[in-house]
Amino acid sequence: MRVFVTGAAGFIGSETTKELIAAGHQVIGLARSEENVRTLEQLGAQVHRGSLQDLDSLKRGAKDADGVIHLAFIHDFAKFAENGAIDKAAIEAMGEVLVGTNKPFIVTSGTGLVAANVVVTEDMRRESSAHVPRVSEQTGLAYASRGVRAMVIRLPQVHGAPGKAGLISYLVELARQKGRAAYVGAGAERWAAAHRSDVVRLYRLALEKGVADAIYHAVGEEGVPMREVIEAVGRALNVPVVSISKEEAGDYYGPLAMFAGLDMPASSALTQQRLGWTPEGIGLIADIGQPDYFKPSSRS
């Protein structure tokens, strides 16, 4: 299968590209820079020049492929609303050229912010909210009723390469800048997590076996307590670990304050049952607790 992949040279995308090629698929990866081009060529993928804001390029890439995996997103939370709008337009551009083809179209979202204080499952749908400007899954799944095998993969905190661990990577930067690692209150809130090697297998399985209008969860651990995460960050950086109040969270976390103190566990039981997927990777705390996982020179 010829698969058009946005974000194909990224943290998850590069491993997804390798997984797809190893399984006999041909990958056409979106490249916005010369660095992306070099990475994709080294991986054995075909290069497709463009960006999330080049809608004509996205349309061409999607139209010429047998399936699409949309992994790219601009992770600048200071411009979350603007980047959410860019993502929506990109999904619509690709979705429109897939209408009536029954081709697989996998859109990426997140397990967080779906529902509060419950273990989120695949059958829970995310409602539109002015507080969450990213509407990837709602936009993508709308094409399931228009002759597209549209699906969503929700990601938790994905780890598995030095310096990378979902939103936790941003928490590490904050701890470096502020000289302390902080959690809110007792730090009892839980964040779901998964190893990158498990996540990329799920993208391949969804491409090959997934059904229209389905949501799949790339979750290996339902909920890792935030206090344990922050303590691991503190040990890695050799900085104090402290508890802060909800009122202090805005000053400490900045644009990430929307996630501070949120309980965001999620299950993948239905995904495992429906796609025959079993997470096998090392757990989050054991992974990020390895020596030099967050060494500055390891970041990219």
Side-chain angles (χ1 to χ4, degrees):
M1 188 183 299
R2 283 172 49 85
V3 189
F4 179 52
V5 182
T6 71
F11 167 52
I12 297 172
S14 59
E15 291 299 305
T16 301
T17 295
K18 288 195 283 188
E19 174 76 14
L20 293 173
I21 291 174
H25 300 290
Q26 179 184 0
V27 173
I28 302 92
L30 183 69
R32 71 180 188 279
S33 68
E34 290 303 319
E35 182 180 0
N36 289 160
V37 169
R38 288 192 295 271
T39 296
L40 292 172
E41 289 177 342
Q42 289 170 0
L43 292 173
Q46 180 180 330
V47 174
H48 181 90
R49 296 276 189 160
S51 70
L52 288 185
Q53 291 162 293
D54 183 349
L55 301 185
D56 287 338
S57 176
L58 294 177
K59 290 176 183 178
R60 290 194 302 273
K63 184 177 182 180
D64 293 340
D66 301 314
V68 176
I69 296 177
H70 177 48
L71 271 162
F73 188 80
I74 303 171
H75 290 95
D76 179 352
F77 294 100
K79 299 179 179 179
F80 200 16
E82 177 182 336
N83 294 332
I86 290 171
D87 183 59
K88 182 176 185 292
I91 293 169
E92 290 174 339
M94 292 183 285
E96 288 299 322
V97 300
L98 296 175
V99 169
T101 65
N102 200 38
K103 292 178 180 179
F105 183 25
I106 302 174
V107 171
T108 303
S109 183
T111 57
L113 305 178
V114 176
N117 304 314
V118 297
V119 177
V120 173
T121 70
E122 296 88 334
D123 289 343
M124 293 181 181
R125 297 288 167 132
R126 173 175 286 164
E127 301 297 331
S128 297
S129 167
H131 301 294
V132 185
R134 184 175 182 177
V135 291
S136 311
E137 62 185 66
Q138 300 97 315
T139 306
L141 290 177
Y143 288 94
S145 62
R146 301 180 63 193
V148 182
R149 186 154 61 91
M151 301 163 269
V152 164
I153 289 182
R154 288 177 179 160
L155 300 180
Q157 308 311 308
V158 180
H159 56 97
K164 301 288 188 177
L167 292 175
I168 296 162
S169 301
Y170 297 92
L171 300 183
V172 171
E173 291 304 313
L174 285 173
R176 278 200 180 99
Q177 295 168 14
K178 296 177 180 294
R180 57 180 183 152
Y183 56 84
V184 176
E189 67 274 16
R190 300 156 294 169
W191 284 12
H195 193 277
R196 179 173 62 164
S197 60
D198 291 323
V199 171
V200 303
R201 281 193 295 109
L202 182 58
Y203 274 98
R204 177 179 59 78
L205 287 170
L207 179 78
E208 295 171 348
K209 301 166 56 178
V211 300
D213 201 40
I215 294 175
Y216 301 111
H217 281 188
V219 172
E221 295 177 280
E222 285 195 3
V224 181
M226 185 50 54
R227 181 167 181 166
E228 293 183 20
V229 172
I230 296 301
E231 287 174 344
V233 170
R235 289 192 297 270
L237 301 184
N238 194 27
V239 298
V241 175
V242 301
S243 170
I244 60 176
S245 68
K246 288 184 178 180
E247 291 71 27
E248 296 174 289
D251 287 337
Y252 181 90
Y253 288 104
L256 284 181
M258 72 179 78
F259 301 104
L262 285 182
D263 193 37
M264 301 190 294
S267 168
S268 63
L270 294 176
T271 296
Q272 294 184 47
Q273 174 187 327
R274 292 166 179 169
L275 290 182
W277 174 75
T278 303
E280 302 168 348
I282 187 175
L284 174 64
I285 299 302
D287 199 11
I288 68 175
Q290 296 181 80
D292 297 332
Y293 191 92
F294 288 116
K295 185 178 180 181
S297 61
S298 71
R299 291 177 289 122
S300 60

